[in-house]
Amino acid sequence: MPRVSALDLPDVPKGHLPPHLELQRTRVLCASDAPTHTETIQYSGAYASVGVDNSLRLDQFCRDFRVEVIRLTEDDMEFDMVGIDPSLANAFRRILIAEVPTMAIEKVLIANNTSVVQDEVLAHRLGLIPIKVDPRLFEYMSENDTPNEKNTIVFKLHVKCKIKGPRLTVKSDELKWLSNGSELPLEMESHTSDPASKQKTYTAFTCSQEIELEAHAVKGMGKTHAKWSPVSTAWYRMLPEVVLLQEVEDEMAEELVKKCPVNVFDIEDVGKGKKRATVARSRACTLCRECIRGEDWEKRVALRRVKDHFIFTIESTGALPPEVLFTEAVKILEDKCERVITELS
């Protein structure tokens, strides 16, 4: 009997993967008692034995990649990014958090603070206030630069409680923009040179609480300090996929519907008094695994995640609209890719 190569046997497919290998390549399987891990098989020779080229090609990426906006409001955005590797999805998330620039208060000049809040705590709280200004209109300021209208925004805060009056709750709308820049002198004049100044005594009793300060906002990025991060959060999850492996009917269908806390399943009438469970909202699945807990339920329901389909959510701090954050992050990622290509060439 002549020798025959294993690749020439009729039960070995060529040019395409068997269903179980294709499932392994494109999906993450979720078991009832095991954590899920994202593993992508990207090296070109992974399936060479069955004649499948698994290399990552630019033409394939351009054909498969797409972005679909699902929800867009003033403060948040949800979109699907399809056809990318988890490493690129995570790079996009990190760029949103740490590399899209914004304006934030960096320097606080306190002229007077007799409030119950310490100077350091007050300055820290001011730094975390989102500044609703387009950072693209401003330049970065280095240590050697002089603050000017191109790199600095100046705000003034001056509030004072009346004698025997109630305490004030100071909010961000008390910050007043100084269009002409700082009003504080570089060196404080001596109190003796001002005839209207109060004469110094052995005590310094005050009957009211007062805050008087200037806050200088400059351009920066979240990787320097979190106050420059333009998002409250930016996160993603892989698209869930819920599959019924066999028909789930009648009482078991009702039990399956009750198992799911986010109403992924529905019941449809198939006639003759019979009911059948269907997957109606697989996108809403949180992979809590309640539907596959219990005897034999893993044989009826399969939970998977699509490896190259990511559901992104961007929540803006309010400084910039979420769609602007998206486009700026894309530009930064594009610049990074171009630098890598230039270095490699």
Side-chain angles (χ1 to χ4, degrees):
M1 181 176 180
R3 294 183 179 181
V4 180
S5 172
L7 294 177
D8 295 328
L9 294 175
D11 59 338
V12 178
K14 288 188 177 182
H16 65 276
L17 294 176
H20 69 285
L21 289 181
E22 183 65 21
L23 190 66
Q24 181 189 51
R25 189 179 71 87
T26 61
R27 300 292 189 270
V28 178
L29 305 182
C30 304
S32 60
D33 57 352
T36 57
H37 302 281
T38 306
E39 297 180 358
T40 54
I41 305 174
Q42 288 290 356
Y43 58 95
S44 59
Y47 305 108
S49 60
V50 290
V52 174
D53 181 12
N54 194 55
S55 60
L56 182 62
R57 299 187 302 273
L58 180 60
D59 58 341
Q60 181 182 357
F61 174 80
C62 295
R63 184 183 68 249
D64 297 338
F65 177 72
R66 69 181 190 274
V67 175
E68 299 176 3
V69 178
I70 306 300
R71 186 185 72 252
L72 177 60
T73 66
E74 184 179 356
D75 298 320
D76 62 80
M77 176 181 182
E78 181 181 322
F79 60 93
D80 288 6
M81 191 173 285
V82 186
I84 61 172
D85 187 76
S87 60
L88 283 177
N90 192 51
F92 190 77
R93 180 190 67 87
R94 292 175 65 89
I95 288 172
L96 280 167
I97 294 173
E99 297 191 43
V100 176
T102 60
M103 303 294 290
I105 292 174
E106 169 70 359
K107 183 184 295 183
V108 179
L109 307 177
I110 300 178
N112 188 18
N113 179 20
T114 56
S115 71
V116 296
V117 182
Q118 298 93 336
D119 292 356
E120 295 82 0
V121 177
L122 178 59
H124 181 262
R125 291 184 179 181
L126 288 169
L128 296 178
I129 295 175
I131 307 299
K132 197 169 184 178
V133 175
D134 191 343
R136 294 171 293 184
L137 304 177
F138 293 85
E139 302 172 354
Y140 288 102
M141 190 178 74
S142 66
E143 296 180 357
N144 300 324
D145 290 338
T146 301
N148 54 56
E149 66 277 7
K150 295 181 180 180
N151 56 32
T152 304
I153 306 173
V154 181
F155 298 95
K156 181 179 181 180
L157 175 63
H158 192 183
V159 291
K160 185 177 181 180
C161 294
K162 295 181 179 179
I163 297 176
K164 296 183 179 180
R167 289 185 178 180
L168 295 178
T169 300
V170 182
K171 298 184 178 180
S172 59
D173 58 358
E174 297 288 348
L175 285 171
K176 306 302 179 184
W177 173 46
L178 298 180
S179 58
N180 293 324
S182 176
E183 295 178 349
L184 293 178
L186 288 175
E187 296 181 4
M188 298 299 293
E189 298 179 359
S190 173
H191 286 281
T192 57
S193 63
D194 185 0
S197 63
K198 183 179 178 181
Q199 185 178 4
K200 289 184 177 181
T201 63
Y202 287 102
T203 59
F205 289 0
T206 58
C207 299
S208 64
Q209 293 182 352
E210 181 180 8
I211 297 176
E212 182 181 3
L213 58 82
E214 275 189 4
H216 295 194
V218 299
K219 187 175 181 178
M221 290 187 286
K223 64 182 180 182
T224 303
H225 193 282
K227 65 185 177 183
W228 278 297
S229 181
V231 294
S232 300
T233 182
W235 60 281
Y236 64 83
R237 62 190 179 102
M238 284 184 287
L239 178 71
E241 186 178 70
V242 183
V243 180
L244 294 178
L245 302 177
Q246 56 183 258
E247 296 287 344
V248 181
E249 298 177 336
D250 301 331
E251 293 181 359
M252 296 191 67
E254 294 180 358
E255 180 184 352
L256 179 61
V257 171
K258 292 179 181 179
K259 276 175 167 283
C260 182
V262 291
N263 299 320
V264 169
F265 303 98
D266 270 348
I267 294 179
E268 66 175 4
D269 189 356
V270 295
K272 297 182 180 181
K274 288 196 172 185
K275 299 177 181 179
R276 180 175 61 193
T278 60
V279 179
R281 291 167 290 273
S282 62
R283 185 186 181 91
C285 180
T286 60
L287 300 177
C288 65
R289 300 177 173 84
E290 286 298 323
C291 60
I292 58 176
R293 290 194 173 101
E295 186 177 358
D296 293 333
W297 277 105
E298 283 193 76
K299 298 178 181 178
R300 303 184 183 104
V301 182
L303 298 181
R304 305 164 183 167
R305 295 188 295 176
V306 184
K307 289 184 178 181
D308 65 344
H309 190 143
F310 298 90
I311 302 173
F312 265 89
T313 302
I314 301 174
E315 294 183 12
S316 172
T317 60
L320 291 173
E323 62 271 22
V324 174
L325 298 179
F326 174 84
T327 55
E328 291 301 305
V330 170
K331 292 177 183 178
I332 294 173
L333 182 59
E334 182 181 4
D335 290 341
K336 287 178 176 288
C337 293
E338 289 179 353
R339 287 199 298 268
V340 170
I341 293 173
T342 301
E343 292 177 359
L344 292 176
S345 60

